[in-house]
Structures are given as structure tokens and as C-alpha cells.
Amino acid sequence: MHHDTPHWTPSPANPTKSEHSPPGADPDQPAQLRRILRLFRPYRGRLALVGLLVAASALVSVASPFLLREILDTAIPERRTGLLSLLALGMIAAAVVTSVFGVLQTLVSTTVGQRVMHDLRTAVYDRLQRMPLAFFTRTRTGEVQSRIANDIGGMQATVTSTATSLVSNLTSVVATVVAMLALDWRLTVVSLLLLPLFVWISRRVGRERKRITSQRQKQMATMSAMVTESLSVSGILLGRTMGRSDSLTRDFARESERLVGLEVRSSMAGRWRMSTIGIVMAAMPALIYWAAGMVMDSGGPSVSLGTLVAFVSLQQGLFRPAVSLLSTGVDIQTSLALFQRIFEYLDLPIDITEPAEPVRLDKVRGEVRFDRVDFTYANESSAKGSGADGSSAKGLKPTLSGIDLTVPAGSSLAVVGPTGSGKTTLSYLVPRLYDVTGGRILIDGVDVRDLDFDTLSRAVGVVSQETYLFHASVADNLRFAKPEATDEELVAAARAAQIHDHIASLPEGYDTLVGERGYRFSGGEKQRLAIARTILRDPPVLILDEATSALDTRTEHAVQQAIDTLSAGRTTITIAHRLSTVRDADQIVVLDGGRIAERGSHDELLARGGRYAALVRRDESLAPVAPAG
């Protein structure tokens, strides 16, 4: 039986990287961009509206310099006050229309961006919900949270505004350049001479920021994992009882210090290069005035004052969208690193899937049959070559081998054996927490891999030795098994699990919060709540994996009576160390080294004087068991 041990030293923040892309590999950017664009496909209609608003806004905004030229060249010199008023009103109207279009464009584009963010978060969460148990045994919880919170959160500005900004600025630049050409093509050529240099600088900055962003997100994931582990209730208890609080603080400070450096580098990456662009663009009006003067001084055609002012106005109007367009390119390069990390999770292979045409059973009798079942963790080893139990994937011994076993509907099976014999693994295979690597497991003659997930989850209930309770009320924790359960059903389930009287004695009764991971309850109380939750589920097949391990002798006896009542008429598979809880099982199987060493009833196995008899003698020598509840 495999157990993972907690660790407190920082581990790689990206455990899946090596599984899906070689170190330093840069994914195909065009393919990645196409994949990003596909995220926006469901919102094509809204994006088309944004495009229309952007185009209209750009066209209206470039009209103002032409109105200004007429004011300076015609209305003022000729003292035409009516035309002057009309042109001035036109400039004001252009500003108002541009602002209104901008607000509408922001509203629609932000809505689309947030919907895409929602789709990404939901897709990642759904993917993780369908990942095999082995994925979570080798991935730190903080790493998963960081992908959903930090990485997707870091993409928010890019997803919500970058696409619109790109279209808006590109349209503005094109419209402005066309207007500048209409005013004076020679001055336009002078204005655009440095454009290739600007593009080259922005690309260099983009690549630099992308590399730093990838490093920063990994560091944030590492810190998130440290916080999740060390600041949980379990982490605080372990840190303080082991005298490691100061050490943990120093470890966190060291990781935080690394993040400081990366954040500074991220903020300053290319800052001087982009400032150079700003300086040159700000100096462009002087260059335009100088060029116009030089053209007229050399005998070339003169440029009217209105044309010159209008051109400089357009050129200054070109500055904002041009720099913004270059910055958008940098932002896109940066966000590619975040998208790459999200796509890594979305591309994780799902080993346990529902068949194309699953079998649905309306009524499950509960016969469970193990047909030549083999299982090894080697097929789910980590990329570093270690199996789920930490041993090398190559040459890993099977955890289970050649298990042939039938549990008739309504009967009880007890599985016993020394630690590491494969007892818990056997219980994991029935509800498909893992899939067999050889043979098959059948419920009512149907391979569990052919059943739809809903049928399987209704058919098999599990109470494991690792009791998990949500930070919610007692009632909410119980209703997780059956959301539509009535209060009467909750009370009946709690009574069966011998926990109702304790719940009723609490000031808030069933509305009492259980606390983070149930720490307001003792181990025995949590175990009884878990049993009550499964009783409420009322499954035809019940798996009890060390279900009474946290109970004292008196409570264990009471709960065992409730389990015996619950087990009547349903199939029960009990994994146990305490043999006193399985003496009355219809069938007892002794596992040793992943194989069935003995099988039979309690009396039959005792009479043989083999492994089971030795386990009974050892169990009796350890009695009485100290109270744990």
C-alpha cells in the first residue's frame, strides 16, 4: 500500500513541464497564437461589433486635423465666423463621438475578455477534476492553485484589452497614415523613416519579457505551494511541534527574495529601449517643422500653416497608437508564457475516461468480481522515472498480481494483510480511482471501465482512512453526498453513524462549521461524519478502507454495529488492520506481496494456523488499543 509523505523543502514549481516539453523548448508560436484565437471564436458576433466601433472611432478621430486645417487656412484668415463655428462644433462632436464609441468598445471587449477568462478557468478546473489520482500525489496543491489563480489572473489584462487594443491601434495607425499621406506625402515619409527600428526594438523587448515572465510565474507557483502547505492547519501544527517555524519563515523569505529580483527585472526589461522610442516620437514635431522649413528653403513647394499644424496634430495622434501597438506586441509576447503554462494543463492526458458508449445500470445488485487483476504504479510514474510509491519505474514490482476474487451481492469481504501488501490499492480499483493494468473488475458482470461515471459513483461508496471535510457546516458536508437530502435523512444517517447526539449537543447543531479540514472535530468524530455521509449516499457497494482506524474501542464497537446494520443486503468490502472488526465477514482474504495468500472464513483461517492466524495473534497481543477519539 502506497502512502505519500509530506515534504517541506521547495520542489520544482512546474512538475509537468518535463513531461510535455523538453527543457528550454519554445513551442510553435504561430500554432499557439491560432489556439489563443480559437478561444475567442464563440464570441465572433461581439468582436465584430467591437471592430465596427473601433473603425468608426478611428475614422471620426482623424477628421479633426482636417477640420483644424480649414480653420487655420480658411475660416480665420477669411474671417468667416459661421464656418469657424461650424468647424469648431465639428471638432467637439468628433471628440464626443470618439469618447462614446470608446466606452461602448471597452464594455463589449471587457465582457468578451472576461467570458474567455471564465472559459479558461472552467476548462482547467474541469481537466483537473478528471485527472487520475496519481497526478495529485505527485503535484503540489499550491502549484495547481497558482496555475488557476496567478497564471490565468496574469492574463486578464491581455485577454480583456489586448485584442481590442490591437485592432483599435492598428486601425488608428492605418487611418492616420492615410490621412498624413493625403496632407503631404514627403512629410509622411520623414515621419515613418524610423518605424523599422521601433519594430525591432519592441520585438527584442518582447522576447526578454516573455523569458522573465515564465521564470516569475514558476517562482510564484513555488511560493504558493509553500504557503498552502505550511500555513494550513496541518502545516502549522507540524511546524510548531517540530520547532521549524523560524526555518519555514527563512525558507519563505528566501523564495520571496528571488521573486523580488524577478519582479524588478520584469518591470525594467526593455524600459530604456522603450523610453528611447518615446523620446524619438516626442521629438518628431521638431523634425517635421525642420523638414518643412528645409523644403521651402531649397525652393520646393511651400506647405500652408494649416497643413503643417494639421500634419503635426496627426503625427502626434500617431504617436499614442503606434507606441501602444508596439507595447501590445510586447504584452502578447509576455502573455504567451502564461498561455503556455495554462495549455500545459489543458493538454495533460486523461488516463481514466468514460467509454464512447458507456453502460448505464438503473439498478445495481452489487456483485463485485476481480478477474485476474494486476496493477502496478509504473504506468503512472513521474517524469523523473519514479513510481507512485517512489521506486524506480523500471522493473517496478506489481502492487497486485493475479487477483481472482468474487464478492457475491449482499455479502461481506474483509481484506487483511501487512502494510504494503496492496489492500488500499485493491479498494481504489473498484471505484476507478486507478485503472487495472491487467485483468478486469466487474460489477454485476459489467467491467467498471465500461460503466458511465454516474452509475459507478452511485454504485460504489468509499469511506477511506483519510477523512476529508470541507470548511462548511455539518449539514453541508453531509449533503455533499446527496444535495437533495432532507433534514430527517441527515439525522437518520447521523444516528446510524453514532454521531447525531454529539452534533445535537453543539450550540449550532447541524449548522456548526466543521473548520478547516474538520479540525473542530476529533479524529473519531470526523470518521463518523464521513461514515454518515456515505450512509446518506446509500450505495449498493460499500468500501471501508480502515474506516474505524481513528476510533477508540468503545466508539469503534458502536460504529461497527451501525456498519453491520448498513451492510445488511449490500456488498461490503472492508480493508482493516484491526482484525476484531472483520471476524464476522462472509469471506476473508489475506494479501501478501500483492497476491492472495489465504482466503476463507475467520474460523477456517484460524484452523489452518497460517498467515491469518499469525495476524490474529499479533493483533490480540497489541490489545487493548488506546483511545484515539
Side-chain angles (χ1 to χ4, degrees):
M1 190 173 86
H2 163 58
H3 295 281
D4 290 305
T5 55
H7 50 86
W8 297 97
T9 55
S11 65
N14 189 6
T16 60
K17 175 87 173 166
S18 58
E19 296 176 29
H20 304 285
S21 58
D26 193 19
D28 183 7
Q29 284 195 9
Q32 193 171 355
L33 287 172
R34 286 194 297 270
R35 187 170 183 181
I36 294 171
L37 290 175
R38 283 199 295 273
L39 297 173
F40 292 87
R41 186 175 295 170
Y43 310 101
R44 289 189 296 264
R46 296 182 189 182
L47 290 175
L49 175 60
V50 171
L52 290 174
L53 290 171
V54 165
S57 178
L59 291 174
V60 172
S61 65
V62 297
S64 290
F66 287 91
L67 297 175
L68 177 62
R69 182 180 66 173
E70 291 303 308
I71 289 175
L72 294 175
D73 286 349
T74 304
I76 293 179
E78 298 178 7
R79 301 180 184 276
R80 297 170 60 180
T81 55
L83 178 61
L84 178 62
S85 299
L86 188 63
L87 292 171
L89 284 174
M91 292 183 68
I92 295 172
V96 171
V97 171
T98 301
S99 297
V100 171
F101 283 172
V103 171
L104 294 175
Q105 163 198 320
T106 301
L107 172 63
V108 178
S109 62
T110 301
T111 301
V112 170
Q114 288 298 331
R115 296 305 305 176
V116 171
M117 294 278 290
H118 162 73
D119 294 343
L120 268 177
R121 281 193 300 265
T122 304
V124 171
Y125 186 85
D126 177 67
R127 193 76 175 187
L128 291 171
Q129 280 287 346
R130 293 185 289 146
M131 291 304 296
L133 191 62
F135 170 81
F136 298 97
T137 64
R138 65 175 181 254
T139 304
R140 301 175 80 177
T141 303
E143 160 69 14
V144 174
Q145 293 174 345
S146 180
R147 296 281 176 123
I148 295 178
N150 295 337
D151 292 355
I152 295 181
M155 294 187 304
Q156 179 163 330
T158 301
V159 172
T160 54
S161 62
T162 296
T164 305
S165 177
L166 185 65
V167 175
S168 175
N169 292 320
L170 186 60
T171 305
S172 296
V173 167
V174 171
T176 303
V177 170
V178 170
M180 289 167 64
L181 287 170
L183 284 174
D184 193 296
W185 69 268
R186 293 160 301 176
L187 295 179
T188 303
V189 171
V190 173
S191 299
L192 300 180
L193 279 176
L194 296 177
L195 185 60
L197 174 63
F198 295 164
V199 172
W200 178 79
I201 290 176
S202 67
R203 287 179 64 85
R204 286 286 301 274
V205 173
R207 284 195 295 268
E208 184 177 352
R209 286 192 183 173
K210 179 184 178 184
R211 185 182 68 256
I212 295 173
T213 297
S214 181
Q215 296 172 356
R216 183 186 64 189
Q217 293 305 118
K218 292 177 183 179
Q219 187 63 26
M220 289 176 68
T222 296
M223 289 184 60
S224 179
M226 290 185 69
V227 169
T228 301
E229 292 178 350
S230 60
L231 293 185
S232 65
V233 177
S234 300
I236 290 293
L237 285 175
L238 184 59
R240 289 182 180 175
T241 55
M242 293 292 179
R244 295 295 304 278
S245 296
D246 291 342
S247 175
L248 289 171
T249 301
R250 287 194 298 271
D251 290 344
F252 182 81
R254 184 175 61 252
E255 296 300 326
S256 180
E257 186 71 29
R258 292 174 184 170
L259 185 61
V260 168
L262 288 170
E263 290 286 5
V264 172
R265 287 174 57 195
S266 176
S267 298
M268 295 304 298
R271 186 66 65 184
W272 286 110
R273 295 190 186 101
M274 297 304 287
S275 296
T276 301
I277 294 178
I279 292 171
V280 173
M281 293 294 283
M284 286 301 291
L287 181 62
I288 296 301
Y289 293 137
W290 176 82
M294 293 300 293
V295 168
M296 288 186 288
D297 185 64
S298 62
S302 62
V303 180
S304 70
L305 178 62
T307 299
L308 190 60
V309 173
F311 188 91
V312 170
S313 177
L314 279 171
Q315 193 273 331
Q316 285 297 283
L318 180 66
F319 168 75
R320 182 193 60 79
V323 171
S324 182
L325 196 61
L326 295 174
S327 298
T328 299
V330 172
D331 292 339
I332 290 176
Q333 286 280 91
T334 302
S335 66
L336 286 178
L338 302 179
F339 274 108
Q340 179 183 339
R341 286 170 59 82
I342 294 302
F343 289 154
E344 280 179 3
Y345 264 24
L346 290 176
D347 292 338
L348 287 171
I350 299 175
D351 298 328
I352 299 178
T353 58
E354 211 172 44
E357 297 182 2
V359 177
R360 185 178 183 86
L361 300 177
D362 294 328
K363 184 173 178 59
V364 177
R365 292 183 298 106
E367 181 191 73
V368 178
R369 184 156 65 91
F370 297 83
D371 182 18
R372 300 188 305 278
V373 167
D374 296 332
F375 181 78
T376 173
Y377 286 101
N379 65 319
E380 292 179 343
S381 61
S382 69
K384 294 181 179 180
S386 62
D389 62 354
S391 55
S392 173
K394 293 183 178 180
L396 184 67
K397 292 182 179 179
T399 305
L400 295 170
S401 181
I403 302 297
D404 263 314
L405 186 61
T406 298
V407 189
S411 69
S412 59
L413 166 73
V415 183
V416 300
T419 300
S421 59
K423 302 187 301 297
T424 295
T425 299
L426 188 71
S427 70
Y428 284 167
L429 297 178
V430 180
R432 287 194 75 192
L433 297 179
Y434 292 99
D435 266 343
V436 299
T437 52
R440 56 185 183 154
I441 296 176
L442 304 100
I443 294 179
D444 291 352
V446 180
D447 193 321
V448 293
R449 291 170 294 187
D450 294 332
L451 291 172
D452 74 318
F453 288 151
D454 183 59
T455 295
L456 188 59
S457 66
R458 283 188 294 103
V460 182
V462 179
V463 179
S464 70
Q465 56 186 326
E466 298 292 338
T467 302
Y468 187 86
L469 298 175
F470 294 102
H471 184 61
S473 69
V474 172
D476 288 339
N477 270 279
L478 294 178
R479 282 197 173 96
F480 189 75
K482 187 180 180 181
E484 72 280 7
T486 64
D487 291 344
E488 291 74 17
E489 289 176 308
L490 296 188
V491 171
R495 286 187 187 280
Q498 306 290 318
I499 190 65
H500 168 72
D501 290 343
H502 176 72
I503 297 173
S505 69
L506 298 173
E508 296 179 65
Y510 282 81
D511 292 326
T512 302
L513 285 177
V514 301
E516 181 70 22
R517 294 183 64 85
Y519 268 88
R520 291 187 63 177
F521 289 80
S522 70
E525 291 160 357
K526 287 191 294 183
Q527 202 75 9
R528 282 176 278 171
L529 282 173
I531 291 172
R533 187 165 56 190
T534 304
I535 290 171
L536 197 64
R537 183 85 174 157
D538 194 25
V541 178
L542 184 64
I543 295 177
L544 305 171
D545 180 12
E546 311 283 2
T548 58
S549 61
L551 306 183
D552 57 59
T553 305
R554 181 178 58 82
T555 306
E556 177 187 349
H557 178 69
V559 172
Q560 192 62 47
Q561 286 182 320
I563 289 174
D564 291 341
T565 302
L566 172 68
S567 301
R570 75 184 71 235
T571 309
T572 305
I573 300 176
T574 303
I575 312 297
H577 279 304
R578 294 188 190 176
L579 303 187
S580 59
T581 63
V582 301
R583 293 172 184 262
D584 296 327
D586 297 322
Q587 184 180 186
I588 299 174
V589 165
V590 181
L591 287 183
D592 191 3
R595 295 179 178 274
I596 296 178
E598 291 180 327
R599 72 176 79 197
S601 67
H602 172 74
D603 293 335
E604 291 171 349
L605 294 175
L606 272 185
R608 291 181 193 171
R611 287 181 173 86
Y612 180 76
L615 290 172
V616 170
R617 287 193 297 271
R618 186 202 64 181
D619 200 45
E620 290 175 346
S621 69
L622 296 175
V625 180

